[in-house]
DNA sequence: AAAATTCCCAACCGCATCTTC
DNA sequence: CGAAGATGCGGTTGGGAATTT
């Protein structure tokens, strides 16, 4: 890098605001194939009308496969509080101690929940101190339990089901086959694998599907497309079919369909990780 | 049921730091 | 060593969802 480069981006020519599913797909598949060594040039090569900064943020905070979504557990919240006491508003530092959590997410949780909780705890403790002398033993016990109840605020015990919901929300808009093909054609007219079912394989055939993007001019090793071994793809498809119940008999299929909404979200994430790693 | 208010979070902005020339 | 671009970070905000009146 160095002198004579163009500015980060022309803000009059880039799209802003919420990301569409199409943009997400383009970004995911581009990063999957070529990595993200150069955020500045990525939007152009991926066919995105976005600032590189925006792409980076979207990837880190939302699309990265290892992003953990859903409510923070009580343990995570306590960890954040402790780390905040040590590091202050160093959100990235705090995030590095919480695998799967992003600095942005931690920052949001801090401002929306933990800060309030801490200040209410402080007030509670002050009140406690003020009235302590006049309380008999029974009243003190009551105060203690009240404070403990306050400490467990945050909805952290319902994380399991809500995790699934959040993961599902992340992936749910990838479920329309026709949209994928449209995006495929728009990105770079890749050869789409014919997949006889309607869901996730389309995403991944899209992602693995050949030369969807402009190859960077000076391709270094990190930019070179990853080799997608056929047996690896086949293995992954089998895994996916199994996860989605597509290799089951009718009864199993019916049972599976009933549970489909719950299982598909985690399966998707699992499959994504399986493919990426 | 509708309006008002509050809450939440994804995304933007601008500054700081790092990297390269 | 300084200049300039790239990237990272933290503060802030807009708008949709949820809740209250």
């Amino acid at each position: 890098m160095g002198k004579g480069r163009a500015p980060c981006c022309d803000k009059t020519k880039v799209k802003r605001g919420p990301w569409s599913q199409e943009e997400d797909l383009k970004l995911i598949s581009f990063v999957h194939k070529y990595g993200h060594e150069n955020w500045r040039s990525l939007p152009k090569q991926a066919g995105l009308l976005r600032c590189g900064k925006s792409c980076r943020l979207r990837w880190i905070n939302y699309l990265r496969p290892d992003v953990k979504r859903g409510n923070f557990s009580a343990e995570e919240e306590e960890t954040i509080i402790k780390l905040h006491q040590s590091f202050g508003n160093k959100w990235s530092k705090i995030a590095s101690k919480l695998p799967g959590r992003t600095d942005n997410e931690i920052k949001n949780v801090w401002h929306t929940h933990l800060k309030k909780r801490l200040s209410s705890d402080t007030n509670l403790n002050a009140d406690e101190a003020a009235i302590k002398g006049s309380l008999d033993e029974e009243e003190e016990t009551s105060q203690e339990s009240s404070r403990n109840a306050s400490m467990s605020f945050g909805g952290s015990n319902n994380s399991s089901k809500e995790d699934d919901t959040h993961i599902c929300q992340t992936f749910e808009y990838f479920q329309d086959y026709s949209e994928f093909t449209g995006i495929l054609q728009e990105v770079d007219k890749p050869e789409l694998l014919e997949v006889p079912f309607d869901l996730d394989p389309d995403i991944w055939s899209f992602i693995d599907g050949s030369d969807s993007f402009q190859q960077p001019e000076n391709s270094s090793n990190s930019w070179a497309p990853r080799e997608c071994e056929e047996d690896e793809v086949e293995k992954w498809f089998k895994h996916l079919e199994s996860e989605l119940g597509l290799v089951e008999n009718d009864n199993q299929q019916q049972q599976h369909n009933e549970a489909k909404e719950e299982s598909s979200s985690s399966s998707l994430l699992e499959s994504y990780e399986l493919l990426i790693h």
Side-chain angles (χ1 to χ4, degrees), chain A residues 73-202:
Chain A
S73 67
E75 290 75 20
E76 285 176 313
E77 291 184 348
E78 289 306 315
T79 304
I80 292 169
I81 290 167
K82 283 175 190 165
L83 290 172
H84 188 268
Q85 284 167 354
S86 313
F87 300 134
N89 292 1
K90 300 292 177 189
W91 306 117
S92 61
K93 209 162 188 172
I94 294 171
S96 70
K97 310 286 181 192
L98 289 161
R101 298 299 189 180
T102 69
D103 54 354
N104 204 35
E105 201 177 10
I106 290 168
K107 189 168 56 182
N108 282 335
V109 167
W110 175 261
H111 285 126
T112 54
H113 292 124
L114 303 182
K115 198 165 69 176
K116 288 175 197 167
R117 189 209 294 182
L118 276 186
S119 69
S120 72
D121 284 349
T122 306
N123 291 339
L124 213 93
N125 289 337
D127 290 346
E128 240 180 278
I131 61 176
K132 194 174 182 178
S134 63
L135 287 174
D136 63 24
E137 202 171 310
E138 193 178 42
E139 283 171 327
E140 283 188 51
T141 308
S142 171
Q143 285 273 332
E144 184 65 25
S145 59
S146 164
R147 186 175 49 176
N148 287 342
S150 168
M151 285 298 287
S152 67
F153 165 81
S156 50
N157 293 333
N158 56 354
S159 59
S160 174
K161 188 145 191 160
E162 293 200 6
D163 279 350
D164 278 355
T165 307
H166 277 82
I167 293 164
C168 195
Q169 283 169 350
T170 302
F171 287 93
E172 68 186 356
Y173 58 45
F174 295 144
Q175 294 182 4
D176 186 339
Y177 179 84
S178 61
E179 297 221 20
F180 294 137
T181 53
I183 294 164
L184 282 169
Q185 286 163 358
E186 185 179 328
V187 171
D188 205 358
K189 301 166 183 64
E191 292 183 7
L192 177 64
L193 292 173
E194 283 296 331
V195 182
F197 46 91
D198 64 343
L199 193 55
D200 322 295
D202 303 324

Side-chain angles (χ1 to χ4, degrees), chain A residues 20-118:
Chain A
S20 67
Q21 73 176 72
E22 177 183 344
E23 290 174 310
D24 281 348
L25 273 171
K26 284 180 179 178
L27 181 55
I28 289 171
S29 50
F30 186 89
V31 171
H32 170 58
K33 282 183 81 69
Y34 303 115
H36 50 72
E37 186 143 286
N38 187 336
W39 285 113
R40 186 177 171 272
S41 60
L42 185 149
K44 190 182 174 189
Q45 287 157 355
L48 288 161
L49 293 173
R50 290 277 181 175
C51 172
K53 243 174 153 178
S54 178
C55 293
R56 177 184 159 272
L57 207 67
R58 182 66 178 170
W59 174 257
I60 288 172
N61 289 333
Y62 204 80
L63 300 175
R64 226 175 25 163
D66 56 335
V67 168
K68 194 202 269 183
R69 305 197 66 75
N71 287 346
F72 279 62
S73 67
E75 290 75 20
E76 285 176 313
E77 291 184 348
E78 289 306 315
T79 304
I80 292 169
I81 290 167
K82 283 175 190 165
L83 290 172
H84 188 268
Q85 284 167 354
S86 313
F87 300 134
N89 292 1
K90 300 292 177 189
W91 306 117
S92 61
K93 209 162 188 172
I94 294 171
S96 70
K97 310 286 181 192
L98 289 161
R101 298 299 189 180
T102 69
D103 54 354
N104 204 35
E105 201 177 10
I106 290 168
K107 189 168 56 182
N108 282 335
V109 167
W110 175 261
H111 285 126
T112 54
H113 292 124
L114 303 182
K115 198 165 69 176
K116 288 175 197 167
R117 189 209 294 182
L118 276 186

Side-chain angles (χ1 to χ4, degrees), chain A residues 185-238:
Chain A
Q185 286 163 358
E186 185 179 328
V187 171
D188 205 358
K189 301 166 183 64
E191 292 183 7
L192 177 64
L193 292 173
E194 283 296 331
V195 182
F197 46 91
D198 64 343
L199 193 55
D200 322 295
D202 303 324
I203 304 170
W204 307 116
S205 61
F206 163 60
I207 288 170
D208 284 334
S210 71
D211 313 313
S212 300
F213 305 100
Q214 295 174 354
Q215 192 72 0
E217 283 177 17
N218 300 318
S219 290
S220 63
N221 288 340
S222 62
W223 278 100
R226 297 180 197 175
E227 290 275 335
C228 278
E229 302 294 337
E230 276 186 27
D231 59 341
E232 193 182 332
V233 174
E234 192 175 347
K235 188 177 157 191
W236 182 81
F237 274 129
K238 279 182 178 167

